[in-house]
Amino acid sequence: MSKRIGWDEYFMRIAFQVAGRSTCSRKRVGAVIVRDRNILSTGYNGSISGMPHCDEAGHMMENGHCVATIHAEANAIIQAAKNGVMIAGASIYTTASPCWNCYKLIVNSGMKRIFFGEFYRDERIFEVSQKLGIELIDLSSCHDFEEVDPCARER
């Protein structure tokens, strides 16, 4: 009998699948917003609706970063808003820790837990999360998705 994967791994695996829809090859990121073990919204980094994708038209570079895309976390929040889905009190699973701007969106939208698959670049999120009581959960040890449940932990 095989062991079922845990919820954290389940949602992180889905975030990695969502990242596969990304249209910017510089960094493919996926995000899944969850409350009570139900998916509320998903997002991936991609161009503004109606604009050409980075993968097709090239990157808009500023300070070493492509700024043509809307980040996965922002797109997940936007999709929830467009569909009238309340995300206050939810958690977000994202393949990379949020940048500073996405972090601010996540916090002000009322989400209380941020799960991430790898650290991206902004250390400020750790200090501010501690001050605000936001849980930051590093699931980077879960990159081996061949294991049955590398993310299992007691809750």
Side-chain angles (χ1 to χ4, degrees):
M1 177 182 247
S2 65
K3 185 178 175 189
R4 291 173 70 183
I5 63 172
W7 288 106
D8 291 343
E9 182 180 358
Y10 173 72
F11 292 122
M12 188 56 74
R13 281 187 185 196
I14 293 171
F16 274 95
Q17 288 298 310
V18 171
R21 293 281 306 151
S22 172
T23 62
C24 184
S25 59
R26 288 185 50 83
K27 184 82 174 158
R28 298 191 188 278
V29 179
V32 178
I33 299 174
V34 174
R35 186 176 46 244
D36 299 327
R37 297 181 180 166
N38 289 292
I39 295 172
L40 303 176
S41 183
T42 65
Y44 53 87
N45 56 325
S47 296
I48 297 169
S49 294
M51 295 295 292
H53 302 301
C54 295
D55 289 351
E56 300 163 354
H59 302 284
M60 184 186 306
M61 300 300 294
E62 287 182 11
N63 300 320
H65 300 285
C66 180
V67 296
T69 62
I70 299 171
H71 289 187
E73 304 92 331
N75 268 328
I77 292 167
I78 290 165
Q79 288 303 312
K82 283 174 68 174
N83 291 302
V85 177
M86 186 186 79
I87 58 176
S91 299
I92 188 166
Y93 290 78
T94 183
T95 58
S97 62
C99 71
W100 184 238
N101 284 331
C102 286
Y103 176 80
K104 293 184 290 185
L105 291 173
I106 291 166
V107 171
N108 273 12
S109 71
M111 286 187 262
K112 300 298 182 193
R113 295 193 312 166
I114 303 168
F115 295 84
F116 59 92
E118 68 172 291
F119 176 72
Y120 181 45
R121 69 176 183 212
D122 205 314
E123 298 279 344
R124 292 176 285 191
I125 66 173
F126 297 104
E127 181 182 338
V128 174
S129 288
Q130 190 171 15
K131 289 179 182 176
L132 297 175
I134 304 293
E135 280 187 80
L136 282 173
I137 300 136
D138 181 354
L139 297 180
S140 60
S141 65
C142 301
H143 280 283
D144 182 4
F145 289 112
E146 297 304 312
E147 289 184 43
V148 174
D149 193 4
C151 298
R153 64 187 188 123
E154 297 289 29
R155 290 210 185 262

